[in-house]
Amino acid sequence: MLTYNELIELRDKLANGEISLELAKAEFWNDFKEGQRSWHTKDWKERRSKFIKDKCQICSSKEILTIQHLSHPRKHTEYIREITRGYAKEYMNSNPEIDKSEFSNYVLKNYDYVPVPLCPNCKGKNPSERVRKTPKYRCADCKHEFDEAVYKSVNELISIFYENEEAYEVRDKCFVSKDKWRNKNNLSNVRYWLQRDSAKNKDAETIEKEAFLQYLNDNIKYLSFEDTITACRKCASSYDLHKMELCPKCNTHYKGIQYPTCIECLPEDKRKAALEIIEFGKEWREMHKKLGID
Ligand SMILES: [Zn+2]
Ligand SMILES: [Zn+2]
Ligand SMILES: [Zn+2]
Ligand SMILES: [Zn+2]
């Protein structure tokens, strides 16, 4: 696991193009497991002792202080997904037209077509299949009875789609992705994935690099203790610390985002009540634990 300073150095070298993305990743992932607790390292412990305050930033207690992060880096894949989405959007705006044969090749390569049975008489989509009776189908729209439904070919559907994207015939999600997800799509969905893939292929390097840089930045921010508060164990267990912010009145203590000020800035009587609630919350949780409700 890289130390805080090593991480900054790695980020800068990558940003300046002094090392390749591949090398940067290798250096970072080497002996690093995502979600691994960074606070086992010596570097982390030393830095923590510098940042921890001498009293709880919520209630001012000095008992059993802990340092709590208000934000955490997300998973690396989430950065990639988010940045790809942005590039896809840009790509779509600058390449709104797709060649028809390219589209049709993409559809056939990546999707199984599960055609919608149509009534041969009225071309409606509502023939109901009958288990016992013959003929097999009966159209709910025109009441026509028949043995064989008709189907539109993929190319017919694509031609209709190119004429009118909103046409009745092309709204069905009859294209099932060939990957493990087996997602159902209509042609307009498929077009989105084609454009997204194109953007991804075109800017693969840039996307990967941007995502990794953001990921590094968030890891650096996490290790910087910039976004942390010192809380006593009681407060740490009584509050959802991810929903805390600095009190605007004193700029010293933290408060739940739903409250106007911190406990310290409340008038005496209200402050007492608030502290009692913390105490109560803690006892309540302990009781639940003892009873095995939690
Ligand atoms: Zn506290
Ligand atoms: Zn946390
Ligand atoms: Zn019909
Ligand atoms: Zn305050």
Side-chain angles (χ1 to χ4, degrees):
M1 174 113 202
L2 297 178
T3 64
Y4 176 63
N5 287 324
E6 286 167 342
L7 210 52
I8 291 176
E9 201 183 312
L10 182 71
R11 191 257 329 260
D12 292 347
K13 277 203 267 178
L14 178 63
N16 299 334
E18 282 169 54
I19 53 166
S20 69
L21 176 63
E22 225 174 309
L23 202 65
K25 279 188 178 174
E27 226 170 282
F28 182 79
W29 296 118
N30 179 32
D31 81 4
F32 176 89
K33 280 199 209 90
E34 204 157 45
Q36 183 191 44
R37 313 214 141 193
S38 49
W39 43 91
H40 290 165
T41 65
K42 189 168 154 258
D43 178 57
W44 195 91
K45 281 180 188 153
E46 282 171 8
R47 294 176 41 71
R48 177 187 188 276
S49 65
K50 264 189 264 168
F51 281 92
I52 194 158
K53 305 262 191 311
D54 61 358
K55 57 184 175 199
C56 173
Q57 288 180 277
I58 299 169
C59 73
S60 290
S61 155
K62 294 191 173 185
E63 256 177 84
I64 319 180
L65 298 174
T66 64
I67 211 160
Q68 300 284 336
H69 286 266
L70 301 181
S71 64
H72 296 89
R74 293 170 293 155
K75 280 191 173 159
H76 178 235
T77 48
E78 285 176 42
Y79 295 83
I80 296 196
R81 210 174 303 139
E82 191 181 290
I83 289 173
T84 305
R85 209 178 294 136
Y87 273 83
K89 212 172 160 194
E90 223 172 84
Y91 183 89
M92 278 169 219
N93 290 336
S94 48
N95 302 275
E97 304 288 329
I98 302 171
D99 178 64
K100 202 163 155 184
S101 68
E102 185 195 343
F103 187 46
S104 118
N105 286 340
Y106 183 83
V107 172
L108 294 171
K109 187 178 157 221
N110 297 291
Y111 296 88
D112 290 322
Y113 175 44
V114 183
V116 175
L118 303 173
C119 165
N121 184 43
C122 71
K123 304 289 184 278
K125 287 178 196 168
N126 290 314
S128 38
E129 212 179 311
R130 308 188 291 188
V131 185
R132 285 185 197 88
K133 276 191 190 167
T134 49
K136 194 175 162 195
Y137 294 101
R138 181 172 184 275
C139 175
D141 296 334
C142 74
K143 318 295 178 208
H144 178 55
E145 299 189 349
F146 51 96
D147 266 320
E148 298 208 358
V150 293
Y151 302 98
K152 288 247 183 297
S153 72
V154 175
N155 282 328
E156 278 173 308
L157 284 185
I158 290 177
S159 291
I160 296 169
F161 182 69
Y162 269 73
E163 290 290 314
N164 174 13
E165 290 178 16
E166 318 264 293
Y168 168 74
E169 291 91 333
V170 296
R171 287 181 205 159
D172 307 285
K173 298 196 169 189
C174 51
F175 294 93
V176 181
S177 66
K178 285 184 183 172
D179 58 19
K180 64 173 172 175
W181 309 108
R182 307 294 295 166
N183 286 323
K184 288 180 181 165
N185 299 270
N186 60 26
L187 284 176
S188 141
N189 305 141
V190 172
R191 182 180 56 186
Y192 170 79
W193 293 113
L194 165 62
Q195 287 176 308
R196 193 178 186 278
D197 278 358
S198 306
K200 220 169 150 182
N201 292 334
K202 183 174 155 276
D203 298 305
E205 275 278 332
T206 325
I207 292 171
E208 287 278 328
K209 187 169 169 176
E210 243 173 72
F212 194 60
L213 276 170
Q214 276 192 19
Y215 179 62
L216 285 181
N217 275 333
D218 282 357
N219 272 281
I220 289 167
K221 185 179 160 204
Y222 186 78
L223 291 177
S224 77
F225 292 94
E226 205 179 90
D227 206 14
T228 58
I229 70 174
T230 299
C232 70
R233 206 173 54 179
K234 245 185 252 171
C235 284
S237 73
S238 294
Y239 289 104
D240 179 355
L241 295 166
H242 297 275
K243 293 193 182 133
M244 302 290 282
E245 62 187 9
L246 207 54
C247 167
K249 202 167 167 192
C250 63
N251 256 316
T252 316
H253 294 102
Y254 280 79
K255 64 173 191 67
I257 46 179
Q258 69 272 38
Y259 304 116
T261 71
C262 72
I263 296 169
E264 303 291 304
C265 291
L266 289 173
E268 181 66 28
D269 53 329
K270 284 197 179 160
R271 197 176 81 196
K272 265 193 167 163
L275 290 172
E276 270 163 27
I277 290 170
I278 298 175
E279 193 61 43
F280 176 73
K282 192 192 159 210
E283 280 167 16
W284 182 251
R285 250 181 300 278
E286 271 172 10
M287 188 181 84
H288 273 226
K289 248 182 227 156
K290 266 185 216 145
L291 295 173
I293 301 173
D294 250 355

